[in-house]
Amino acid sequence: MTDTTQLVIRAEKPNFLGGENPFEAMMSRFDYAAKLLKLEPGLYKVLRHPEKTITVSVPIMMDSGEVEVFTGYRVLYNTSRGPGKGGIRFDRNVTMDEVTALAAWMAWKCAVVNIPFGGAKGGVVCDPLSMSINELEKLTRRYTAGIINVLGPDSDVPAPDVNTNERIMAWVMDTYSMHVGHTVTAVVTGKPVEMGGSLGRREATGRGCMIVACEALKEAGMQIKGARVAVQGFGNVGSVSADLMQKAGFTIVAVSDVQGGIYNKNGLDVQDVLNWRTTHRYLSGYPRAEAISNEQLLALDCDVLLPAALENVITAENAGDVKAKVIIEGANGPTAASADAILDRKGVFVVPDILANAGGVTVSYFEWVQDRGGYFWDEETVNNRLTQIMERSFRDVLEVSKKYNVNMRIAAYTLAIDRVAKVHRLRGMYA
Ligand code: NAD
């Protein structure tokens, strides 16, 4: 039996909607981009509304023998460019508003990197930490059965998100396959490699961050070699980014986790820090660095800041203290909308989340392609194709930013909304 604690990948995750509401934060940028594009009012209305929202009851028999009923959601925000794509989260704080915001986010992200997916998201309101592996399996299967009519390689393709992982994706795939009567690997991504997952998927988001960081430094006229980087969050995205950036020539001066950070002005040995984390779980106590707080990390004297933990960490209150010249948003929504103008005034070059962390969904797309083709690529092919897409997307966003004289965030939204709007116009209004 698997240890249940291994199922929970983001146990420290607090309420996503804490602080500034990310849906409003995103929509304020959406509105700005829509005005820039002079989006026609009808299309504006279409793109401001989710296409389909589903709420399901998820009754399961708990280990105690009692029946418990959970609530599950799935939102398909926009599928004009292809099947819905977006994760499933298990969390106490899941709400329909949050799921809708995240589904819209996915629609823009897929359009920025120009992969043929729309945006979707799902979630179940539950406390996975208090549930047994058996209960989690039942919850996953019953939730999947509840939303089965929208799922499918051509309609909606989930992936892991907060507190869900490849073990859970395997159950989603199995449940769907049992319902349709044959094995359908392409119905979810982020699966174990043994059953149709892609090589390179685990590192994809961090690799994407490293690739756009290199592009951003070139654009800012800065040297990669020796550029000092501070990384907030040392989980999947933060630790892989730090490791690959060090290999690319950057100097990682600070990293942090939920308990705080570590700093060494001469550079940390990332592999050594990874080894420490494996044996000690947290970074605190690491001997070859000094301890700093997460707040201090954000204000460190460095060249690149890579927030890779939480939403809303760079706010109107602390944006003025940021000394980095480049920010790579590994996390979703790390910068509050109210901080954008402050960073702009300081001349900070921000690579926004919907571009910077799109490496993950890009390799999810590769997984779906490989499953549908039944032909699997080696890791080098995956990484090379990811590099091509990230570099091209960076250039596309940069071009829009120069054309409209806007920052990279507004440029990314503008590019995404333009791509989605063009497809709507080409398809025309049905009825
Ligand atoms: P993770 O759970 O693997 O790691 C999160 C890290 O953040 C951990 O080191 C944790 O200790 C740290 N952390 C938690 N609370 C913190 C706090 N209050 N202050 C500082 N650090 C804190 O998660 P992840 O998969 O690396 O995801 C990180 C971010 O990147 C999230 O915003 C996620 O939505 C986003 N993201 C992840 C992927 C992916 O493929 N994993 C893709 C796109 C976006």
Side-chain angles (χ1 to χ4, degrees), residues 9-10 12 205 234-237 257-258 294 308-310 330-332 357:
I9 57 171
R10 293 191 63 199
E12 307 98 339
T205 306
F234 203 59
N236 175 285
V237 179
D257 63 21
V258 65
N294 268 296
L310 298 175
N332 282 321
N357 69 32

Side-chain angles (χ1 to χ4, degrees), residues 257 259-262 276 280-287 291:
D257 63 21
Q259 295 190 337
I262 53 173
W276 173 271
H280 297 83
R281 188 160 178 214
Y282 294 108
L283 299 170
S284 70
Y286 179 74

